[in-house]
Amino acid sequence: MAKTVKQLLQEYVVGASGISTAEIIIPPDLKLGDYATNVAFILAKQEGKKPADVAGELKEKLLGTDLAKMADVEVAPTGFINFFLKTEFLDEEIKKDKKIDLGQGKKVIVEYSSPNIAKPIHIGHLRSTIIGDALANVYEKLGYEVVRWNFIGDWGTQFGKLIAADKKWHGNFSDTLKDPIQEMLRLYVKFHEELKNNPELEKEGQKEFKKLETGDEENLIIWKSFRSASLAAFRIIFNKLGIDSEKFVIKGESDYEPRLKPLIEELKNKGLAIESEGALIVELENMPPALLRKTDGATLYMTRDIASLEDRIQNYNPAKILYVVANQQALHFEQLFAVAKKLGWDSTELSHVKFGMVLGEDGKKLATREGKVVALQEVIDRITSLALETVKQKSADLSEEDENKIAHAVAISALKYNDLKQHPHTDIQFDWKAMLDLSGNSGPYIQYTYARLANILSKAGNGPWETSASASVDLEGKLIERKLVNYLDVLIECTTPNALNGLALYLYDLSALANRFYENVRVLDEPDTEKKNARLNLIKVVADNLKDGLGLLGIQTLERI
């Protein structure tokens, strides 16, 4: 398996120190080296010596290995060992194919988006969809087999109410309607408005759901129409977000309904599920019990999540399962994971990837003037409209069709990067101007950087450009090369907290270095052919790196903005 520079350095450090937990870090300042380790502190504590003295001893050991061909080794007065990668090594390293099979033979299930049918996808689904898709991309890049899981809400008494409303006020719901989601929403709202004056409607809804549960043919046909119309509408939104919905394994709560009663009996037989005040629960340590069945006999989301987890473990055998779901569901997943442990399902690593709310410019929860949840389509429309203004200002010679295509790509970039540049646990704020800033820490800024580099490469013709073996880029180029070798390590580090902000920041920093290079160094008009070609080759690597990284974040690169 190919190894990153960081992994190679770690092997040398572990070999010299004997400390298997020795870590390699990337210093915040290049003056402190390309990489560093604090392993001397660990050894010094064990041996009762000064860290700087131990670091000096380790340096001598390291210089007696092949590491000396990779890097210069320096000892800081504090005891840190700093590694400065050699020019020849850097030049060769950045030319290598950026692939690694860290997850070879391992499977990861990433559950994300997971909207409810018969309702529009809203702002609450945005972060789950963006974060989940980017995480799936990164794991795939690292060699894992990734299963993208969309667990939709398609079962429950609300569908009895919707069926009753359809029979009363529509009569023949069809998923071929121009806007079936809005029609379903209209029917559902009307049912609840009429319910205020006619409480008997509640019983009608319960009756229709009971018929659905028992397989009534008419109700199944109506429910299937609701479901297929919703999935079709979801695909339109996913497509606008640049997400391939065909990659999803789509499972609904309805898929697990037949499994719930047998599952509950098995839990009871194992002594895990017990009666409590008429309800059925699983008692858990240091947290409230998991409720499996209410006093009226109705099962809950927890029951269906256990059944779904059983399906994933038994039929997919994943190494990891990531649930990309909002912070508010933290207790639910703590309970689910605790139940899984009681069932002996501990060979799979279970992770709840939490995320905060979406806030408006005023710092308050993003909502309509009426206080309702904002439909995701409205958000996409607004950011696209603002992006179109930016595109028209930057490029006056584009056709209307090209303007719209570029504006859409810039808009989706602004949405996604604004989310992913921050740690998912935190709330994100919609500052529409900052999101589209072509000179700030934004997705469009990185897109614009790529477009500038692509323009240089287009004018230079097809590479690679021939240089002698000794040809090297100058100081500005060296700073870029040092950044380039960190790329795969950055991707690996994304999988530990399951957060993408490290990758987003990496791409921003690389873009800033590339723009400084672009502005300070002559390329196309450089008279020295060796220097010119070395710089063009470096620009090509940077452009490829930006394209790859943006692609992992789900962001499209553009040849011009």
Side-chain angles (χ1 to χ4, degrees):
M1 182 182 78
K3 293 175 183 175
T4 69
V5 174
K6 185 176 178 181
Q7 288 171 334
L8 288 170
L9 288 171
Q10 187 169 29
E11 286 186 2
Y12 284 116
V13 169
V14 170
S17 67
I19 304 295
S20 61
T21 56
E23 289 186 346
I24 303 295
I25 61 171
I26 299 172
D29 189 335
L30 282 173
K31 292 177 182 177
L32 302 174
D34 300 294
Y35 295 90
T37 180
N38 67 346
V39 70
F41 291 88
I42 303 173
L43 269 180
K45 189 174 181 181
Q46 292 178 358
E47 299 174 1
K49 297 180 179 179
K50 293 180 180 179
D53 293 340
V54 174
E57 294 170 7
L58 288 174
K59 174 183 175 180
E60 295 306 313
K61 288 184 180 180
L62 291 168
L63 290 177
T65 69
D66 284 344
L67 181 144
K69 298 176 183 177
M70 291 173 53
D72 293 317
V73 184
E74 292 186 7
V75 174
T78 56
F80 274 91
I81 301 173
N82 301 327
F83 303 99
F84 296 82
L85 298 178
K86 293 187 174 181
T87 298
E88 299 79 10
F89 177 80
L90 272 171
D91 289 343
E92 290 303 313
E93 191 65 24
I94 67 167
K95 297 173 186 175
K96 292 181 181 178
D97 192 14
K98 293 177 174 56
K99 286 184 178 180
I100 189 166
D101 294 325
L102 182 73
Q104 189 173 24
K106 298 177 183 177
K107 189 177 295 182
V108 175
I109 296 177
V110 185
E111 179 190 310
Y112 60 103
S113 199
S114 302
N116 296 319
I117 71 168
K119 294 179 182 178
I121 291 185
H122 55 74
I123 192 68
H125 298 110
L126 178 66
R127 300 203 69 188
S128 173
T129 304
I130 288 174
I131 296 168
D133 198 61
L135 278 174
N137 291 339
V138 168
Y139 272 99
E140 214 163 48
K141 173 77 175 180
L142 295 175
Y144 289 85
E145 180 185 348
V146 176
V147 180
R148 299 160 192 261
W149 198 280
N150 204 341
F151 191 35
I152 61 173
D154 66 351
W155 203 249
T157 54
Q158 68 266 36
F159 296 106
K161 296 175 182 179
L162 195 55
I163 290 170
D166 178 60
K167 289 181 176 179
K168 274 183 172 296
W169 301 300
H170 192 284
N172 184 27
F173 179 85
S174 170
D175 54 13
T176 61
L177 289 170
K178 183 178 180 182
D179 196 342
I181 292 282
Q182 285 304 316
E183 176 61 13
M184 285 184 274
L185 190 59
R186 182 189 73 82
L187 289 171
Y188 193 69
V189 169
K190 185 173 178 63
F191 181 90
H192 282 273
E193 287 175 348
E194 295 290 332
L195 187 61
K196 296 173 186 175
N197 300 319
N198 183 8
E200 291 298 311
L201 278 177
E202 187 72 35
K203 291 181 180 178
E204 287 191 39
Q206 292 171 353
K207 178 184 173 183
E208 295 296 348
F209 182 60
K210 186 67 176 177
K211 288 166 66 177
L212 179 62
E213 284 186 302
T214 54
D216 178 80
E217 187 174 348
E218 180 186 13
N219 282 13
L220 277 171
I221 290 172
I222 298 172
W223 173 79
K224 286 177 180 178
S225 293
F226 293 157
R227 194 177 191 276
S228 62
S230 298
L231 293 177
F234 296 162
R235 288 189 188 100
I236 292 171
I237 296 294
F238 290 142
N239 183 54
K240 289 183 178 180
L241 287 171
I243 291 169
D244 186 357
S245 60
E246 296 302 315
K247 290 183 177 180
F248 277 127
V249 170
I250 297 178
K251 291 285 185 84
E253 293 181 61
S254 61
D255 289 299
Y256 299 103
E257 194 64 22
R259 175 67 181 131
L260 299 188
K261 286 184 180 179
L263 177 62
I264 285 174
E265 287 305 311
E266 288 173 21
L267 291 171
K268 287 168 70 176
N269 292 336
K270 290 178 179 179
L272 296 178
I274 61 172
E275 296 280 347
S276 176
E277 298 180 6
L280 194 68
I281 64 168
V282 177
E283 290 187 323
L284 304 170
E285 293 180 13
N286 303 319
M287 69 182 83
L291 185 59
L292 301 181
R293 192 175 62 200
K294 295 193 292 186
T295 53
D296 62 3
T299 54
L300 295 102
Y301 195 80
M302 175 63 74
T303 332
R304 290 183 277 279
D305 244 349
I306 295 170
S308 178
L309 178 54
E310 178 187 52
D311 171 26
R312 301 176 206 202
I313 290 174
Q314 289 185 355
N315 295 314
Y316 292 83
N317 191 29
K320 293 184 180 183
I321 301 177
L322 311 182
Y323 294 86
V324 187
V325 184
N327 284 333
Q328 292 90 326
Q329 297 298 316
L331 176 60
H332 170 84
F333 285 104
E334 286 174 15
Q335 292 174 319
L336 176 64
F337 299 166
V339 172
K341 188 174 181 180
K342 281 180 172 286
L343 286 165
W345 300 344
D346 46 13
S347 61
T348 297
E349 180 185 331
L350 305 177
S351 297
H352 175 202
V353 182
K354 299 179 258 190
F355 57 84
M357 295 190 297
V358 178
L359 307 178
E361 290 170 297
D362 57 1
K364 296 178 181 178
K365 187 176 180 180
L366 196 66
T368 65
R369 289 181 180 177
E370 298 78 24
K372 296 178 182 177
V373 176
V374 178
L376 193 46
Q377 182 62 61
E378 293 178 31
V379 176
I380 294 172
D381 288 345
R382 179 173 180 187
I383 194 72
T384 303
S385 175
L386 293 170
L388 185 58
E389 294 176 15
T390 301
V391 171
K392 285 181 175 179
Q393 290 170 5
K394 296 298 295 184
S395 302
D397 59 337
L398 292 170
S399 67
E400 184 177 350
E401 182 182 359
D402 285 341
E403 280 181 345
N404 289 329
K405 284 181 179 178
I406 292 172
H408 179 75
V410 170
I412 299 306
S413 167
L415 270 182
K416 290 186 175 182
Y417 187 84
N418 183 59
D419 188 316
L420 298 172
K421 74 178 181 179
Q422 299 173 77
H423 194 282
H425 291 184
T426 62
D427 297 335
I428 63 168
Q429 193 162 356
F430 269 24
D431 181 336
W432 304 92
K433 184 178 180 182
M435 288 163 68
L436 290 163
D437 188 356
L438 290 177
S439 59
N441 185 7
S442 71
Y445 168 74
I446 301 172
Q447 283 179 311
Y448 186 55
T449 302
Y450 175 84
R452 294 178 84 177
L453 301 181
N455 184 50
I456 294 174
L457 297 172
S458 175
K459 290 178 179 178
N462 296 323
W465 295 271
E466 289 188 13
T467 57
S468 65
S470 61
S472 176
V473 292
D474 25 33
L475 177 61
E476 290 86 351
K478 284 288 166 274
L479 294 175
I480 291 175
E481 287 188 337
R482 288 189 168 99
K483 197 71 181 175
L484 289 168
V485 297
N486 293 342
Y487 182 54
L488 289 176
D489 290 314
V490 169
L491 296 187
I492 292 169
E493 287 169 7
C494 285
T495 66
T496 304
N498 289 311
L500 285 306
N501 52 312
L503 174 57
L505 179 61
Y506 169 88
L507 295 174
Y508 172 67
D509 287 345
L510 180 59
S511 296
L513 289 171
N515 277 305
R516 198 178 309 152
F517 183 79
Y518 176 91
E519 289 160 6
N520 296 335
V521 176
R522 299 167 71 180
V523 181
L524 293 176
D525 61 348
E526 169 59 56
D528 186 319
T529 303
E530 286 284 292
K531 284 186 177 181
K532 175 182 175 180
N533 288 353
R535 290 168 184 173
L536 283 170
N537 282 319
L538 180 63
I539 287 173
K540 178 68 166 62
V541 176
V542 174
D544 289 345
N545 195 265
L546 289 177
K547 185 171 187 175
D548 191 73
L550 285 174
L552 295 178
L553 297 183
I555 294 173
Q556 179 185 351
T557 48
L558 299 165
E559 299 301 310
R560 66 177 299 186
I561 293 180

